[in-house]
Amino acid sequence: MTVLGIETSCDETAVGIAVDGRKLLSNVVASSMDLHAKYGGVVPEIAARSHIEAILPVLEESMDQAKCTWQDIDALAVTYGAGLGGSLLIGVLAARTLAIAKHKPLYAINHVEAHLYVNFLTDISLPGYTPRNSQPAFPILGIIVSGGHSQLVLFRNHFGYTLLGQTQDDAIGEAFDKVAKIIGLPYPGGVNVSKLADHGNPQAFKLPKAKMPHKYDFSFSGLKTAVLRLSQQQVGADFTLPSGKLPGLLSDAQKADIAASFQRVGIETIVDKAVEASKEFHPASVIIGGGVAANGELRRQLAERLPTPENGGPTPIEYPDMKLCTDNGAMIATLGCYKASLHQPEADPYSLEIAPNLSM
Ligand code: KG4
Ligand code: ZN
């Protein structure tokens, strides 16, 4: 079963091809990130226009990389939510058109679920990729940490899962991006906060962890506001200081300490709950997906605190290759393989709609 996956939910135009949900043949990603950088975040209209320009060249390059012709493709898969409406539309319309023109079955993919499915890829011969040693075993504890979602999910089998908890306000990636803005780091914020945090003291400042009524839910908006207040306090200003002036008043050392302290507490919040869920549900494996899965501090804290074989526990955790953490088509193709082989319902190529607010 060879599936071609199309992803256009945000600012990446991406097409990947996977076989049987474990082998990756191609993964091509074009990002319009540079065009958004000067605005400090993704501009939906620019993202949508960039998808229109990039979708066909990316599709062609992905087919070339996989050395596939249309005869080799058994099915198509496309992200139909969650994401930016204008961006999703381009991918969905491209996939619908191709499904009709090439006579292929079409599967509608939930972007957030797909972030976790990238962990099923074990056979990757593309240059520069580190494959996993083995596929995760059920029951699986899934940790989703992206720019739009922070969720803990327990999978009993491929399409049987329970959402244990999720953020009630900002996602963890969104909090990284907002902290980047507060201390004046360029877009994309998350990776820049993480790089700067390497030079700071993670214990420099005490920042709050939200206490939630439901133990597996998250909240990051209070932490973000605490970072803003801390930054204002560090330069001797109050909330009346225009936010644009703040980065210029903070020293490099202050910024690094703020980044490191924020990162420690934000990541600890995720890891606290992952450890608790792991103790309660005894998963056979733990998987992680979404852009923040690339964060080194998250990987360090999980390795230190999750009951994994490395520290005497029973639960193995392996991480996706860094290039498969942020948005990509490989994850869409991989989930598409399982939808097709496990006889999940096909989408109608004449009527599939986007679902910008889709949840798990
Ligand atoms: O999964 P993703 O590519 O897009 C969404 O589905 O949201 O995640 C993007 C998010 C952004 O918020 C970005 O700042 C964050 O992931 N991110 C990171 C790192 N790399 C990407 N956050 C922290 N540390 C990183 N190394
Ligand atoms: Zn994503």
Side-chain angles (χ1 to χ4, degrees):
M1 175 66 66
T2 302
V3 176
L4 181 144
I6 298 177
E7 154 63 34
T8 63
S9 68
C10 190
D11 58 345
E12 268 100 17
T13 316
V15 177
I17 300 177
V19 183
D20 296 339
R22 63 165 69 231
K23 182 172 183 170
L24 183 62
L25 296 186
S26 69
N27 187 41
V28 177
V29 182
S31 176
S32 57
M33 194 180 274
D34 293 351
L35 300 177
H36 307 286
K38 65 177 170 203
Y39 303 103
V42 176
V43 181
E45 290 79 2
I46 295 178
R49 183 153 14 117
S50 302
H51 287 309
I52 296 174
E53 287 166 5
I55 187 76
L56 291 178
V58 168
L59 180 74
E60 238 168 68
E61 194 181 331
S62 190
M63 296 279 276
D64 285 352
Q65 192 177 73
K67 299 189 178 56
C68 277
T69 66
W70 280 104
Q71 273 182 342
D72 303 314
I73 304 294
D74 297 309
L76 296 169
V78 64
T79 304
Y80 77 114
L84 300 170
S87 289
L88 288 167
L89 258 181
I90 311 305
V92 166
L93 285 176
R96 285 172 53 177
T97 309
L98 288 166
I100 295 167
K102 306 289 181 189
H103 309 288
K104 306 290 177 188
L106 175 64
Y107 293 91
I109 300 293
N110 178 329
H111 177 91
V112 182
E113 259 178 66
H115 264 305
L116 288 176
Y117 266 77
V118 89
N119 286 282
F120 284 90
L121 290 170
T122 50
D123 184 354
I124 308 176
S125 50
L126 296 174
Y129 282 76
T130 313
R132 287 176 64 106
N133 291 316
S134 58
Q135 287 197 316
F138 292 103
I140 296 171
L141 176 65
I143 308 170
I144 297 160
V145 280
S146 74
H149 296 84
S150 305
Q151 295 179 326
L152 284 179
V153 190
L154 190 68
F155 285 78
R156 292 176 305 285
N157 51 49
H158 272 299
F159 294 100
Y161 60 75
T162 308
L163 181 60
L164 300 178
Q166 61 186 330
T167 184
Q168 297 301 303
D169 40 59
D170 295 351
I172 178 74
E174 196 178 348
F176 267 90
D177 295 339
K178 286 178 174 169
V179 166
K181 263 196 171 169
I182 293 171
I183 59 177
L185 301 181
Y187 175 84
V191 69
N192 288 321
V193 170
S194 161
K195 279 183 190 155
L196 185 61
D198 288 344
H199 304 284
N201 172 8
Q203 304 293 343
F205 302 112
K206 271 207 157 44
L207 288 163
K209 266 192 224 171
K211 290 209 170 44
M212 305 302 289
H214 184 299
K215 67 177 170 179
Y216 294 124
D217 280 344
F218 306 98
S219 162
F220 294 104
S221 78
L223 175 58
K224 167 204 69 192
T225 308
V227 168
L228 176 62
R229 297 285 171 258
L230 167 69
S231 306
Q232 289 162 339
Q233 185 201 335
Q234 286 299 299
V235 301
D238 65 13
F239 65 91
T240 56
L241 180 76
S243 56
K245 293 223 165 108
L246 194 45
L249 299 172
L250 286 164
S251 70
D252 287 348
Q254 282 171 321
K255 287 181 190 176
D257 283 348
I258 292 169
S261 302
F262 156 76
Q263 176 173 261
R264 177 181 60 80
V265 174
I267 295 296
E268 241 173 55
T269 308
I270 303 273
V271 176
D272 286 351
K273 303 202 178 208
V275 169
E276 195 162 341
S278 174
K279 285 183 180 153
E280 181 171 347
F281 300 104
H282 306 289
S285 50
V286 177
I287 60 177
I288 181 153
V292 186
N295 184 272
E297 175 67 9
L298 176 61
R299 293 176 179 218
R300 193 192 63 72
Q301 287 194 25
L302 281 172
E304 192 177 287
R305 296 183 48 206
L306 258 190
T308 60
E310 287 75 32
N311 55 32
T315 320
I317 180 165
E318 275 190 71
Y319 299 94
D321 184 281
M322 293 287 188
K323 292 178 284 305
L324 297 174
C325 289
T326 45
D327 294 348
N328 62 81
M331 66 189 203
I332 309 303
T334 306
L335 179 50
C337 288
Y338 290 95
K339 289 229 172 194
S341 62
L342 297 171
H343 311 295
Q344 294 290 302
E346 288 175 25
D348 180 351
Y350 289 94
S351 64
L352 176 64
E353 300 271 358
I354 59 167
N357 299 318
L358 187 67
S359 60
M360 280 193 78

